[in-house]
Amino acid sequence: DIQMTQSPSSLSASVGDRVTITCRASQGITRSLAWYQQKPGKVPKLLIYAASILESGVPSRFSGSGSGTDFTLTISSLQPEDVATYYCQKYNNAPRTFGQGTKVEIK
Amino acid sequence: QAQLVESGGGLVKPGGSLRLSCAASGFTFSDYYMGWIRQAPGKGLEWVSYISSGGTVIYYSDSVKGRFTISRDNAKNSLYLQINSLTAEDTAVFFCAGGPTSGAFHIWGQGTTVTVSS
C-alpha cells in the first residue's frame, strides 16, 4: 500500500506568515490528492482537490501544488482562524489513505 | 443545502455489532460516491471504506476488512455501515462523506460516536 507522510507534524507561526505543509506519497499518485482542514472539535473540511483545485468558498490564501509523489499546501498569509490540523489524502486507488496530520498553531 | 446526517452510534461491548446510517439530503445522492472515515479519540483521520455511486465498486481498509460492510440505498438516499466483531480499537467518531466526481470527499456529516467497552 502507498504510504502518505506529512511534514512537519506541527508548526507554530505568526499571523501573516507564509506556511507550507508537505505531503509525500511512497509511490506516484498523479494528481489524485486532497487537502482537508479540521478545526478543533469540528468536522473536516475539503480545501483542495486534484492537488491544486481550490474548493468553492475556500479563501484564496490557500493553495496546493505538486504531482506524482510530492505535494504542498501553502497558506500565503496565516490568519488566526487557520488554527487547525491539516490532512492530505490520496484517492487514486484503495486504500484512500490520509496523512498523519499537521497541527498549525499561532505563535 | 447539501447535508449528511449520521446515526446509529453508541456504547457496545467487545464482540458486539452496530449498524451506522447516513441520511443524505440537498443533492442527488445517487450521483455521489460515498465513504466512511473514522477518528479515534485524539488521533488522526482513518479512511475505512468506499462505495461507488451505483454501489457496484466497494473497498475496505485492511483494518476492517471482513468485519465491516458498506452498503447504500439510493432510493432512500442512505448509506450504511454494518460493523461486527468490535474491539476497543474501533472506538472512534465515524464520519460519512462523499463527492461527485473528483475522488475527494466534498461533503461530510457531523459524525456518530462508537464506543466499545465492557
mmCIF file of all heavy atoms in Angstrom, chain B residues 77-118:
data_model
loop_
_atom_site.group_PDB
_atom_site.id
_atom_site.type_symbol
_atom_site.label_atom_id
_atom_site.label_comp_id
_atom_site.label_asym_id
_atom_site.label_seq_id
_atom_site.Cartn_x
_atom_site.Cartn_y
_atom_site.Cartn_z
ATOM 1 N N ASN B 77 -31.851 7.464 -0.287
ATOM 2 C CA ASN B 77 -30.798 8.465 -0.058
ATOM 3 C C ASN B 77 -30.001 8.163 1.206
ATOM 4 O O ASN B 77 -29.728 9.057 2.031
ATOM 5 C CB ASN B 77 -31.391 9.881 0.037
ATOM 6 C CG ASN B 77 -31.940 10.378 -1.286
ATOM 7 O OD1 ASN B 77 -31.498 9.951 -2.352
ATOM 8 N ND2 ASN B 77 -32.912 11.259 -1.226
ATOM 9 N N SER B 78 -29.632 6.922 1.358
ATOM 10 C CA SER B 78 -28.987 6.497 2.600
ATOM 11 C C SER B 78 -27.771 5.611 2.362
ATOM 12 O O SER B 78 -27.746 4.796 1.440
ATOM 13 C CB SER B 78 -29.986 5.750 3.485
ATOM 14 O OG SER B 78 -30.998 6.613 3.952
ATOM 15 N N LEU B 79 -26.800 5.789 3.241
ATOM 16 C CA LEU B 79 -25.565 4.997 3.263
ATOM 17 C C LEU B 79 -25.527 4.264 4.602
ATOM 18 O O LEU B 79 -25.997 4.796 5.616
ATOM 19 C CB LEU B 79 -24.368 5.931 3.147
ATOM 20 C CG LEU B 79 -22.974 5.331 3.296
ATOM 21 C CD1 LEU B 79 -22.614 4.531 2.038
ATOM 22 C CD2 LEU B 79 -21.945 6.437 3.535
ATOM 23 N N TYR B 80 -24.950 3.060 4.586
ATOM 24 C CA TYR B 80 -24.916 2.263 5.806
ATOM 25 C C TYR B 80 -23.513 1.687 6.026
ATOM 26 O O TYR B 80 -22.736 1.525 5.086
ATOM 27 C CB TYR B 80 -25.919 1.104 5.720
ATOM 28 C CG TYR B 80 -27.318 1.543 5.389
ATOM 29 C CD1 TYR B 80 -27.815 1.418 4.093
ATOM 30 C CD2 TYR B 80 -28.143 2.102 6.362
ATOM 31 C CE1 TYR B 80 -29.086 1.829 3.770
ATOM 32 C CE2 TYR B 80 -29.432 2.521 6.055
ATOM 33 C CZ TYR B 80 -29.892 2.384 4.750
ATOM 34 O OH TYR B 80 -31.162 2.809 4.443
ATOM 35 N N LEU B 81 -23.219 1.376 7.286
ATOM 36 C CA LEU B 81 -22.014 0.635 7.620
ATOM 37 C C LEU B 81 -22.369 -0.351 8.728
ATOM 38 O O LEU B 81 -22.691 0.051 9.847
ATOM 39 C CB LEU B 81 -20.885 1.558 8.070
ATOM 40 C CG LEU B 81 -19.532 0.863 8.261
ATOM 41 C CD1 LEU B 81 -18.961 0.410 6.914
ATOM 42 C CD2 LEU B 81 -18.529 1.776 8.983
ATOM 43 N N GLN B 82 -22.344 -1.623 8.390
ATOM 44 C CA GLN B 82 -22.550 -2.685 9.384
ATOM 45 C C GLN B 82 -21.185 -3.018 9.978
ATOM 46 O O GLN B 82 -20.254 -3.358 9.231
ATOM 47 C CB GLN B 82 -23.157 -3.925 8.729
ATOM 48 C CG GLN B 82 -23.330 -5.102 9.671
ATOM 49 C CD GLN B 82 -24.398 -4.870 10.723
ATOM 50 O OE1 GLN B 82 -25.447 -4.287 10.424
ATOM 51 N NE2 GLN B 82 -24.144 -5.296 11.952
ATOM 52 N N ILE B 83 -21.049 -2.873 11.282
ATOM 53 C CA ILE B 83 -19.768 -3.101 11.928
ATOM 54 C C ILE B 83 -19.918 -4.244 12.931
ATOM 55 O O ILE B 83 -20.766 -4.191 13.827
ATOM 56 C CB ILE B 83 -19.212 -1.824 12.572
ATOM 57 C CG1 ILE B 83 -20.229 -1.149 13.498
ATOM 58 C CG2 ILE B 83 -18.816 -0.831 11.495
ATOM 59 C CD1 ILE B 83 -19.671 0.090 14.181
ATOM 60 N N ASN B 84 -19.137 -5.294 12.760
ATOM 61 C CA ASN B 84 -19.213 -6.500 13.586
ATOM 62 C C ASN B 84 -17.895 -6.768 14.291
ATOM 63 O O ASN B 84 -16.860 -6.174 13.975
ATOM 64 C CB ASN B 84 -19.562 -7.715 12.705
ATOM 65 C CG ASN B 84 -20.888 -7.580 12.005
ATOM 66 O OD1 ASN B 84 -21.818 -6.957 12.520
ATOM 67 N ND2 ASN B 84 -20.976 -8.162 10.814
ATOM 68 N N SER B 85 -17.938 -7.670 15.270
ATOM 69 C CA SER B 85 -16.729 -8.114 15.986
ATOM 70 C C SER B 85 -15.919 -6.933 16.497
ATOM 71 O O SER B 85 -14.707 -6.849 16.297
ATOM 72 C CB SER B 85 -15.875 -8.991 15.071
ATOM 73 O OG SER B 85 -16.604 -10.081 14.562
ATOM 74 N N LEU B 86 -16.606 -6.018 17.136
ATOM 75 C CA LEU B 86 -15.968 -4.770 17.569
ATOM 76 C C LEU B 86 -14.968 -5.008 18.694
ATOM 77 O O LEU B 86 -15.182 -5.843 19.586
ATOM 78 C CB LEU B 86 -17.020 -3.770 18.012
ATOM 79 C CG LEU B 86 -17.783 -3.117 16.856
ATOM 80 C CD1 LEU B 86 -19.100 -2.537 17.319
ATOM 81 C CD2 LEU B 86 -16.925 -2.056 16.198
ATOM 82 N N THR B 87 -13.881 -4.258 18.646
ATOM 83 C CA THR B 87 -12.873 -4.242 19.705
ATOM 84 C C THR B 87 -12.682 -2.811 20.184
ATOM 85 O O THR B 87 -13.177 -1.856 19.550
ATOM 86 C CB THR B 87 -11.528 -4.790 19.215
ATOM 87 O OG1 THR B 87 -10.926 -3.835 18.334
ATOM 88 C CG2 THR B 87 -11.703 -6.112 18.478
ATOM 89 N N ALA B 88 -11.947 -2.658 21.273
ATOM 90 C CA ALA B 88 -11.705 -1.323 21.822
ATOM 91 C C ALA B 88 -11.029 -0.416 20.800
ATOM 92 O O ALA B 88 -11.221 0.810 20.827
ATOM 93 C CB ALA B 88 -10.861 -1.430 23.078
ATOM 94 N N GLU B 89 -10.257 -0.999 19.893
ATOM 95 C CA GLU B 89 -9.551 -0.216 18.874
ATOM 96 C C GLU B 89 -10.502 0.386 17.841
ATOM 97 O O GLU B 89 -10.091 1.221 17.029
ATOM 98 C CB GLU B 89 -8.505 -1.069 18.161
ATOM 99 C CG GLU B 89 -7.260 -1.378 19.011
ATOM 100 C CD GLU B 89 -7.551 -2.257 20.200
ATOM 101 O OE1 GLU B 89 -8.311 -3.247 20.047
ATOM 102 O OE2 GLU B 89 -7.025 -1.962 21.299
ATOM 103 N N ASP B 90 -11.756 -0.037 17.848
ATOM 104 C CA ASP B 90 -12.755 0.530 16.935
ATOM 105 C C ASP B 90 -13.455 1.745 17.531
ATOM 106 O O ASP B 90 -14.274 2.380 16.853
ATOM 107 C CB ASP B 90 -13.800 -0.519 16.558
ATOM 108 C CG ASP B 90 -13.216 -1.677 15.772
ATOM 109 O OD1 ASP B 90 -12.472 -1.402 14.798
ATOM 110 O OD2 ASP B 90 -13.505 -2.841 16.117
ATOM 111 N N THR B 91 -13.170 2.080 18.787
ATOM 112 C CA THR B 91 -13.755 3.268 19.406
ATOM 113 C C THR B 91 -13.328 4.510 18.633
ATOM 114 O O THR B 91 -12.125 4.783 18.492
ATOM 115 C CB THR B 91 -13.314 3.383 20.878
ATOM 116 O OG1 THR B 91 -13.882 2.296 21.620
ATOM 117 C CG2 THR B 91 -13.763 4.706 21.479
ATOM 118 N N ALA B 92 -14.311 5.245 18.131
ATOM 119 C CA ALA B 92 -13.998 6.380 17.266
ATOM 120 C C ALA B 92 -15.270 7.139 16.913
ATOM 121 O O ALA B 92 -16.382 6.649 17.108
ATOM 122 C CB ALA B 92 -13.337 5.902 15.967
ATOM 123 N N VAL B 93 -15.092 8.339 16.394
ATOM 124 C CA VAL B 93 -16.163 9.035 15.697
ATOM 125 C C VAL B 93 -16.127 8.570 14.246
ATOM 126 O O VAL B 93 -15.066 8.575 13.614
ATOM 127 C CB VAL B 93 -15.991 10.557 15.773
ATOM 128 C CG1 VAL B 93 -17.067 11.257 14.951
ATOM 129 C CG2 VAL B 93 -16.030 11.036 17.220
ATOM 130 N N PHE B 94 -17.269 8.146 13.743
ATOM 131 C CA PHE B 94 -17.388 7.690 12.357
ATOM 132 C C PHE B 94 -18.095 8.776 11.557
ATOM 133 O O PHE B 94 -19.216 9.177 11.874
ATOM 134 C CB PHE B 94 -18.176 6.378 12.296
ATOM 135 C CG PHE B 94 -17.362 5.171 12.698
ATOM 136 C CD1 PHE B 94 -17.016 4.957 14.028
ATOM 137 C CD2 PHE B 94 -16.944 4.254 11.748
ATOM 138 C CE1 PHE B 94 -16.260 3.845 14.402
ATOM 139 C CE2 PHE B 94 -16.188 3.143 12.110
ATOM 140 C CZ PHE B 94 -15.852 2.940 13.435
ATOM 141 N N PHE B 95 -17.414 9.233 10.497
ATOM 142 C CA PHE B 95 -17.967 10.226 9.590
ATOM 143 C C PHE B 95 -18.366 9.548 8.282
ATOM 144 O O PHE B 95 -17.612 8.716 7.764
ATOM 145 C CB PHE B 95 -16.926 11.294 9.240
ATOM 146 C CG PHE B 95 -16.428 12.113 10.395
ATOM 147 C CD1 PHE B 95 -15.203 11.839 10.979
ATOM 148 C CD2 PHE B 95 -17.160 13.195 10.870
ATOM 149 C CE1 PHE B 95 -14.715 12.606 12.029
ATOM 150 C CE2 PHE B 95 -16.687 13.968 11.911
ATOM 151 C CZ PHE B 95 -15.458 13.672 12.491
ATOM 152 N N CYS B 96 -19.515 9.923 7.736
ATOM 153 C CA CYS B 96 -19.777 9.588 6.346
ATOM 154 C C CYS B 96 -19.424 10.819 5.513
ATOM 155 O O CYS B 96 -19.504 11.963 5.993
ATOM 156 C CB CYS B 96 -21.208 9.143 6.104
ATOM 157 S SG CYS B 96 -22.470 10.408 6.290
ATOM 158 N N ALA B 97 -19.009 10.587 4.291
ATOM 159 C CA ALA B 97 -18.583 11.671 3.415
ATOM 160 C C ALA B 97 -18.739 11.226 1.975
ATOM 161 O O ALA B 97 -18.792 10.020 1.691
ATOM 162 C CB ALA B 97 -17.141 12.074 3.707
ATOM 163 N N GLY B 98 -18.790 12.186 1.064
ATOM 164 C CA GLY B 98 -18.951 11.830 -0.337
ATOM 165 C C GLY B 98 -18.570 12.924 -1.287
ATOM 166 O O GLY B 98 -18.205 14.042 -0.877
ATOM 167 N N GLY B 99 -18.640 12.597 -2.568
ATOM 168 C CA GLY B 99 -18.307 13.552 -3.600
ATOM 169 C C GLY B 99 -18.865 13.121 -4.937
ATOM 170 O O GLY B 99 -19.279 11.966 -5.093
ATOM 171 N N PRO B 100 -18.866 14.035 -5.924
ATOM 172 C CA PRO B 100 -19.483 13.728 -7.214
ATOM 173 C C PRO B 100 -18.550 13.107 -8.240
ATOM 174 O O PRO B 100 -18.941 12.180 -8.949
ATOM 175 C CB PRO B 100 -19.965 15.106 -7.682
ATOM 176 C CG PRO B 100 -19.056 16.087 -7.032
ATOM 177 C CD PRO B 100 -18.579 15.466 -5.743
ATOM 178 N N THR B 101 -17.346 13.624 -8.369
ATOM 179 C CA THR B 101 -16.511 13.141 -9.465
ATOM 180 C C THR B 101 -15.027 13.066 -9.153
ATOM 181 O O THR B 101 -14.327 12.216 -9.686
ATOM 182 C CB THR B 101 -16.673 14.041 -10.714
ATOM 183 O OG1 THR B 101 -16.345 15.391 -10.349
ATOM 184 C CG2 THR B 101 -18.068 13.970 -11.283
ATOM 185 N N SER B 102 -14.535 13.960 -8.327
ATOM 186 C CA SER B 102 -13.077 14.117 -8.227
ATOM 187 C C SER B 102 -12.392 12.984 -7.480
ATOM 188 O O SER B 102 -11.232 12.691 -7.731
ATOM 189 C CB SER B 102 -12.736 15.436 -7.516
ATOM 190 O OG SER B 102 -13.016 15.345 -6.127
ATOM 191 N N GLY B 103 -13.103 12.342 -6.559
ATOM 192 C CA GLY B 103 -12.470 11.338 -5.711
ATOM 193 C C GLY B 103 -12.274 11.827 -4.298
ATOM 194 O O GLY B 103 -12.161 11.039 -3.365
ATOM 195 N N ALA B 104 -12.231 13.148 -4.128
ATOM 196 C CA ALA B 104 -12.110 13.714 -2.786
ATOM 197 C C ALA B 104 -13.478 13.735 -2.109
ATOM 198 O O ALA B 104 -14.507 13.578 -2.749
ATOM 199 C CB ALA B 104 -11.552 15.130 -2.872
ATOM 200 N N PHE B 105 -13.458 13.938 -0.796
ATOM 201 C CA PHE B 105 -14.699 13.997 -0.026
ATOM 202 C C PHE B 105 -15.120 15.462 0.135
ATOM 203 O O PHE B 105 -14.573 16.194 0.956
ATOM 204 C CB PHE B 105 -14.508 13.336 1.333
ATOM 205 C CG PHE B 105 -14.358 11.845 1.258
ATOM 206 C CD1 PHE B 105 -13.238 11.222 1.780
ATOM 207 C CD2 PHE B 105 -15.332 11.059 0.674
ATOM 208 C CE1 PHE B 105 -13.090 9.836 1.716
ATOM 209 C CE2 PHE B 105 -15.204 9.676 0.605
ATOM 210 C CZ PHE B 105 -14.075 9.064 1.125
ATOM 211 N N HIS B 106 -16.099 15.870 -0.660
ATOM 212 C CA HIS B 106 -16.540 17.264 -0.676
ATOM 213 C C HIS B 106 -17.548 17.558 0.425
ATOM 214 O O HIS B 106 -17.641 18.689 0.882
ATOM 215 C CB HIS B 106 -17.162 17.607 -2.036
ATOM 216 C CG HIS B 106 -16.181 17.581 -3.161
ATOM 217 N ND1 HIS B 106 -15.720 18.737 -3.760
ATOM 218 C CD2 HIS B 106 -15.574 16.568 -3.796
ATOM 219 C CE1 HIS B 106 -14.870 18.432 -4.729
ATOM 220 N NE2 HIS B 106 -14.755 17.112 -4.756
ATOM 221 N N ILE B 107 -18.331 16.558 0.805
ATOM 222 C CA ILE B 107 -19.381 16.741 1.810
ATOM 223 C C ILE B 107 -19.118 15.775 2.949
ATOM 224 O O ILE B 107 -18.809 14.602 2.711
ATOM 225 C CB ILE B 107 -20.770 16.434 1.215
ATOM 226 C CG1 ILE B 107 -21.030 17.285 -0.018
ATOM 227 C CG2 ILE B 107 -21.864 16.655 2.247
ATOM 228 C CD1 ILE B 107 -22.315 16.890 -0.734
ATOM 229 N N TRP B 108 -19.256 16.277 4.197
ATOM 230 C CA TRP B 108 -19.042 15.457 5.397
ATOM 231 C C TRP B 108 -20.245 15.582 6.329
ATOM 232 O O TRP B 108 -20.836 16.649 6.449
ATOM 233 C CB TRP B 108 -17.806 15.937 6.153
ATOM 234 C CG TRP B 108 -16.508 15.676 5.458
ATOM 235 C CD1 TRP B 108 -16.053 16.253 4.305
ATOM 236 C CD2 TRP B 108 -15.480 14.771 5.878
ATOM 237 N NE1 TRP B 108 -14.807 15.772 3.988
ATOM 238 C CE2 TRP B 108 -14.435 14.862 4.938
ATOM 239 C CE3 TRP B 108 -15.332 13.902 6.958
ATOM 240 C CZ2 TRP B 108 -13.260 14.103 5.041
ATOM 241 C CZ3 TRP B 108 -14.165 13.158 7.069
ATOM 242 C CH2 TRP B 108 -13.147 13.252 6.123
ATOM 243 N N GLY B 109 -20.558 14.488 7.001
ATOM 244 C CA GLY B 109 -21.528 14.534 8.073
ATOM 245 C C GLY B 109 -20.879 14.975 9.378
ATOM 246 O O GLY B 109 -19.664 15.162 9.436
ATOM 247 N N GLN B 110 -21.693 15.130 10.391
ATOM 248 C CA GLN B 110 -21.219 15.585 11.697
ATOM 249 C C GLN B 110 -20.554 14.471 12.506
ATOM 250 O O GLN B 110 -19.864 14.738 13.482
ATOM 251 C CB GLN B 110 -22.382 16.166 12.508
ATOM 252 C CG GLN B 110 -22.924 17.454 11.950
ATOM 253 C CD GLN B 110 -21.871 18.563 11.949
ATOM 254 O OE1 GLN B 110 -21.237 18.830 12.944
ATOM 255 N NE2 GLN B 110 -21.688 19.203 10.796
ATOM 256 N N GLY B 111 -20.789 13.243 12.123
ATOM 257 C CA GLY B 111 -20.166 12.116 12.802
ATOM 258 C C GLY B 111 -21.076 11.473 13.835
ATOM 259 O O GLY B 111 -21.960 12.123 14.405
ATOM 260 N N THR B 112 -20.853 10.175 14.057
ATOM 261 C CA THR B 112 -21.551 9.444 15.101
ATOM 262 C C THR B 112 -20.499 8.667 15.889
ATOM 263 O O THR B 112 -19.568 8.104 15.305
ATOM 264 C CB THR B 112 -22.635 8.516 14.521
ATOM 265 O OG1 THR B 112 -23.399 7.941 15.576
ATOM 266 C CG2 THR B 112 -22.056 7.398 13.668
ATOM 267 N N THR B 113 -20.637 8.655 17.195
ATOM 268 C CA THR B 113 -19.603 8.092 18.055
ATOM 269 C C THR B 113 -19.882 6.636 18.397
ATOM 270 O O THR B 113 -20.988 6.295 18.827
ATOM 271 C CB THR B 113 -19.488 8.901 19.357
ATOM 272 O OG1 THR B 113 -19.155 10.253 19.030
ATOM 273 C CG2 THR B 113 -18.391 8.334 20.252
ATOM 274 N N VAL B 114 -18.880 5.806 18.180
ATOM 275 C CA VAL B 114 -18.932 4.398 18.553
ATOM 276 C C VAL B 114 -17.943 4.185 19.694
ATOM 277 O O VAL B 114 -16.755 4.493 19.553
ATOM 278 C CB VAL B 114 -18.585 3.494 17.359
ATOM 279 C CG1 VAL B 114 -18.459 2.041 17.801
ATOM 280 C CG2 VAL B 114 -19.630 3.641 16.264
ATOM 281 N N THR B 115 -18.431 3.673 20.806
ATOM 282 C CA THR B 115 -17.578 3.384 21.955
ATOM 283 C C THR B 115 -17.681 1.896 22.272
ATOM 284 O O THR B 115 -18.783 1.383 22.488
ATOM 285 C CB THR B 115 -18.002 4.204 23.184
ATOM 286 O OG1 THR B 115 -17.963 5.593 22.862
ATOM 287 C CG2 THR B 115 -17.057 3.931 24.359
ATOM 288 N N VAL B 116 -16.549 1.223 22.262
ATOM 289 C CA VAL B 116 -16.514 -0.208 22.547
ATOM 290 C C VAL B 116 -15.874 -0.405 23.916
ATOM 291 O O VAL B 116 -14.699 -0.108 24.118
ATOM 292 C CB VAL B 116 -15.719 -0.977 21.472
ATOM 293 C CG1 VAL B 116 -15.786 -2.474 21.749
ATOM 294 C CG2 VAL B 116 -16.266 -0.660 20.088
ATOM 295 N N SER B 117 -16.672 -0.867 24.853
ATOM 296 C CA SER B 117 -16.179 -1.033 26.220
ATOM 297 C C SER B 117 -17.060 -2.031 26.957
ATOM 298 O O SER B 117 -18.270 -2.110 26.716
ATOM 299 C CB SER B 117 -16.193 0.313 26.955
ATOM 300 O OG SER B 117 -15.839 0.148 28.314
ATOM 301 N N SER B 118 -16.435 -2.777 27.841
ATOM 302 C CA SER B 118 -17.201 -3.732 28.647
ATOM 303 C C SER B 118 -17.727 -3.063 29.915
ATOM 304 O O SER B 118 -18.452 -3.691 30.691
ATOM 305 C CB SER B 118 -16.317 -4.920 29.015
ATOM 306 O OG SER B 118 -15.132 -4.497 29.656
#
